[in-house]
Every structure is written in C-alpha cells, then in structure tokens.
Amino acid sequence: MKRKLVAAIGAAAMMTGTAACGSGDDGQSADGGKKVTVWVMDGSAPEEWATALNKEFEAAHEGVTVEIKEQQWNGIQEKITTALSEDSPPDVIELGNTQTAGYAVTGGLADLTDLKGELNYDAWNKGMLPSAELDGKLYAAPWYAANRVVIYDKSLYADAGVKPPATREEWIAGLEKIQKSDEDVQPIYLPGQSWYVLAGFLWDEGGDFAVEDGDRWKGALATPEGEAAVSFYKELQSFSTAPEDTDEANPQQSTDVVPKGGVASWIGLGWEAAGAIEAIEKAGGTADFGYFPIPGKTADKPGKVFFGGSNLAVAERSRNKELAQEWLELATSEKWMKKYAEATQGGLLPNTPDAQVRPEPGSFAEAMVKAADVGHITPVTPGWANVETEPNPIKEYMTKVLKGTEPAKAGEEADEVITERINKS
C-alpha cells in the first residue's frame, strides 16, 4: 500500500514522526522507562488517531512510552529484513499484506497464535485474515485494506444512456452502447497488464495464480478457470485503446490519461480517483465521477477484488515483547479500528466489519465497501514475492493473450515461471 492511497481518502493530518535511521534501540526511553517502538509506513497512521491511541496505552502502563517512527515504502523490505535480524529491532512493525509470510518464515516475527482471543480474531474480515497466517500459526493482525472499483464519468455515461451495471453482462452491454454513441470516447481505459484486475476475474472463476501441490506450489493459469478469466479481461480490454504491454502506472492512468478527457470509465484505487480530480481541476476543468463495484457474474454480489493493505506484527526479538503485543491488541481492537476508519473518513477498510463507518453516499468509499466481503489476496506463501519480481510472468501472460497467443499456451509458459519462482526459499 502506498501513501497516496491514504491521502486520496481525505485524511488531512498524517503522522509526521521522525524517520528511523537504524532499527530499534535498547527498549528504554530517555528517562530510563520502557519504550515501545512502532514502525509505520508513510501516511498509514493519522496523527490524531495515533496520538490518542498512545495516550490511552501510556496511561494504562505507568513509565511506558510509545514512539512512532515513520518509514518509506521504497526499500522497506530490505530495511525490515535487516531490522528483524538485529538484537534490538522495532517492537511493532507495519508489513504489507503480501509480504508478511516472507518475514514469518524467517523466524523474525513473534507467534501470536495464543493471543487470538485477545486480538478478536474471530471478528476479522475473512478476506484480510489469510495474509496474517502461515502454516496454521498467526504472525500478525490485519490492520487495513483497500480495493479497486470502477470510476466513471457521469456525463459520458448519461450521454450514452448508460447506468452503473450490476452484472458483467450489463457491464459489457453498457460499454458497447458508449462505443456506439461516440467514437471519440473510450468506453473504458484498461491497460493490458493490470494483473490485480485479472486476479478478481480469476477468483470469480474459482481459480488462482498458483495452487498447492503436495509440499510445493505450482502455477495455475493454464486451466479452464485461467482461460475464462483472461478471456473476459480480453473482452473488456477490447473497448480500450490502452497499451497491451503496460500496467496502470505506465503511463499513470489517473494523472496522465484520464485528465485529457475522452475516457468514460477506468478501474482504480481511491488515491487514483483523487489524483485525477486534482489534475482535472488544476487544468481548469470540473470532474464529476461516479463509482461502482467491479460487477460480478450475477447481481447478488460484486466481483471479487484484490485486497491491498497492511498488517501489524511484533518482532520476535523485541526487547519489550509483552508490551508490544498489548499495544498491538489495543491498536487493532474494534474500538480503535472504528476510530481509525473515522480518521480516514471511511476510505480504508478496517480489520473488522463491525468497525466500518458509513461512507458518504455516492463516494468512492461507498463503492469500495460494497466489495469488502469478497476481497482476496494472492497465494499466501513466502515465495510469492518472487513471482511479482519483474519481469512479472502474469503481466507477460496477459500481453501474450491480448496479442493473439492462445490462453492455454501462454498459461503453460507463465506457469513454468511461476512454479519455479514461487518455490524458491
């Protein structure tokens, strides 16, 4: 998760803690009391929320202080890996949800399995939970997540007589109508390598990028489910003039494409919607976007979506492990997750549905929350990070199919790479 995602939702005052230059310290404050050091990513913790949370924790723990140290996403994996191997790591660390398993397998994270009751485990969002576990043990607590929705230009939809769809069939019919109504309008901007979007279609079909095969993993794109998912993606992409060999960041769709006009809809995150609005208004225009969940096969539930987000974990070598665990329990409790959702104006999904605040009607957050029950993450295994390394075989698979290669053949080629990478230690 990037800082821009949080900024987009309107959390005006973000944490301004001092960036850490090392890892942790000796676990003591300047006056000799105990100190809990928490690493959070740039923009993840609204200042008001963090200040109030720490005040309550410190009041309940005489002589204990909490120090928040803000980190940058760039280079964070290497920094955390180094910190967890040292004798004085930070006590609590924010981890990307797809990265957590990789840190857990090294032994760097404390086993929280015995704390499930204290952590309100049974109430957590079922789509976020898998990222916090590995081999039946709990190594983190879900903190927040967000997902993509369809962002559309209200005026262009209205001109074509199209309303937000409830099913894939209605979605395609609407795009066809827009295409026929104005040849200068792109019904949807969809780059060929938006693999997080493909992920949702794949999960809708009952498939996945990789599946367990005994004590190993194997790629699973050369399957009927993979073919169905990429075929639907190809149908959607046929309504777009976006490049077949780039993702949504190259060029950046929200600031380099949409503000130029002529785009009836696109799929993006909250920070992208905000970025497009800002760019349009800066150029003297007016943005009037509407939002709807990515449609599913039937109207009873939206399409599945990738949950991008973060977990909070305790370092195994923490000098103040018990205090760190108690801070984690408080920070991820229903009370403080509700306050977190309020601080981010409903624009991030808290770890429990009970803490979700009611988003503003017609907002991006409202559309995002509608898909909160169908969120998924990529395969939970330490080797998944190797799969995402460029050149990403999933992206290459998508481009090959869009350019005419049979899905089965392209899938076999991608599966070979996925299988080799995902089983690397």
Side-chain angles (χ1 to χ4, degrees):
M1 293 284 285
K2 299 180 180 178
R3 180 198 184 285
K4 293 178 181 176
L5 185 136
V6 181
I9 348 188
M14 292 297 170
M15 177 89 49
T16 56
T18 304
C21 56
S23 54
D25 47 38
D26 61 2
Q28 292 187 325
S29 59
D31 60 6
K34 291 186 177 182
K35 180 174 67 176
V36 176
T37 301
V38 182
W39 277 13
V40 298
M41 302 311 301
D42 177 22
S44 290
E47 184 176 12
E48 182 180 354
W49 176 84
T51 299
L53 168 69
N54 291 338
K55 182 178 180 180
E56 179 174 315
F57 183 82
E58 291 170 356
H61 298 80
E62 186 176 353
V64 176
T65 59
V66 180
E67 181 179 15
I68 303 288
K69 292 188 175 182
E70 191 175 79
Q71 309 297 315
Q72 303 299 316
W73 281 108
N74 186 31
I76 191 60
Q77 289 190 338
E78 295 79 5
K79 189 170 185 178
I80 290 176
T81 298
T82 299
L84 291 176
S85 68
E86 296 176 343
D87 291 332
S88 55
D91 301 294
V92 180
I93 305 176
E94 176 186 351
L95 306 172
N97 59 358
T98 62
Q99 304 167 356
T100 304
Y103 296 119
V105 78
T106 68
L109 304 182
D111 184 347
L112 305 177
T113 308
D114 292 340
L115 298 177
K116 286 183 177 180
E118 292 87 339
L119 288 168
N120 203 28
Y121 174 94
D122 291 337
W124 287 344
N125 182 296
K126 298 303 182 286
M128 298 182 196
L129 175 56
S131 70
E133 296 184 303
L134 182 67
D135 297 332
K137 294 184 178 181
L138 184 68
Y139 289 98
W143 189 12
Y144 65 82
N147 55 262
R148 290 164 174 77
V149 308
V150 181
I151 305 161
Y152 71 97
D153 186 308
K154 289 183 179 179
S155 63
L156 293 179
Y157 262 54
D159 289 346
V162 176
K163 296 181 179 180
T167 65
R168 284 188 183 182
E169 185 177 1
E170 292 178 4
W171 195 10
I172 294 297
L175 297 177
E176 289 175 341
K177 198 170 181 180
I178 294 170
Q179 189 175 57
K180 292 176 181 178
S181 69
D182 191 338
E183 61 181 16
D184 294 325
V185 171
Q186 190 172 181
I188 186 170
Y189 181 82
L190 182 62
Q193 296 183 342
S194 292
W195 70 276
Y196 288 123
V197 175
L198 174 68
F201 301 154
L202 184 57
W203 295 325
D204 276 342
E205 299 296 340
D208 210 333
F209 292 115
V211 296
E212 291 185 84
D213 182 25
D215 60 354
R216 289 171 58 80
W217 288 76
K218 65 177 181 180
L221 289 173
T223 59
E225 295 83 5
E227 181 170 353
V230 79
S231 294
F232 180 65
Y233 189 98
K234 185 175 182 178
E235 183 177 13
L236 271 183
Q237 215 272 334
S238 69
F239 293 97
S240 175
T241 62
E244 297 171 330
D245 57 355
T246 63
D247 61 24
E248 62 268 39
N250 296 291
Q252 176 50 252
Q253 58 183 8
S254 61
T255 55
D256 298 333
V257 178
V258 174
K260 295 178 181 178
V263 175
S265 65
W266 45 295
I267 300 171
L269 291 160
W271 67 265
E272 292 184 292
I277 292 171
E278 181 181 359
I280 291 170
E281 293 179 346
K282 187 175 182 180
T286 300
D288 189 15
F289 291 148
Y291 312 94
F292 59 85
I294 295 174
K297 288 186 169 185
T298 58
D300 59 320
K301 58 183 177 181
K304 291 183 171 63
V305 288
F306 170 74
F307 265 162
S310 285
N311 300 327
L312 288 172
V314 173
E316 173 62 24
R317 297 188 180 186
S318 165
R319 296 291 185 91
N320 295 305
K321 187 182 295 185
E322 186 174 336
L323 284 170
Q325 291 172 344
E326 291 180 12
W327 186 91
L328 183 89
E329 291 170 20
L330 184 64
T332 59
S333 66
E334 182 179 330
K335 170 186 174 180
W336 283 97
M337 287 310 307
K338 185 171 184 179
K339 290 179 179 294
Y340 184 81
E342 292 169 348
T344 57
Q345 299 182 16
L348 289 174
L349 300 171
N351 63 12
T352 170
D354 293 335
Q356 182 62 53
V357 299
R358 184 181 297 276
E360 181 181 343
S363 66
F364 180 98
E366 182 183 53
M368 181 181 69
V369 169
K370 289 179 180 178
D373 292 336
V374 292
H376 280 243
I377 63 168
T378 49
V380 180
T381 174
W384 179 255
N386 300 324
V387 176
E388 294 189 27
T389 302
E390 298 292 345
N392 185 323
I394 302 169
K395 291 183 178 182
E396 294 188 333
Y397 158 76
M398 297 172 72
T399 295
K400 288 177 182 178
V401 173
L402 293 178
K403 290 188 174 182
T405 302
E406 288 297 318
K409 183 177 187 301
E412 289 173 359
E413 293 170 350
D415 285 345
E416 184 176 350
V417 179
I418 291 172
T419 300
E420 187 270 331
R421 289 189 183 184
I422 202 171
N423 290 299
K424 282 184 178 179
S425 58

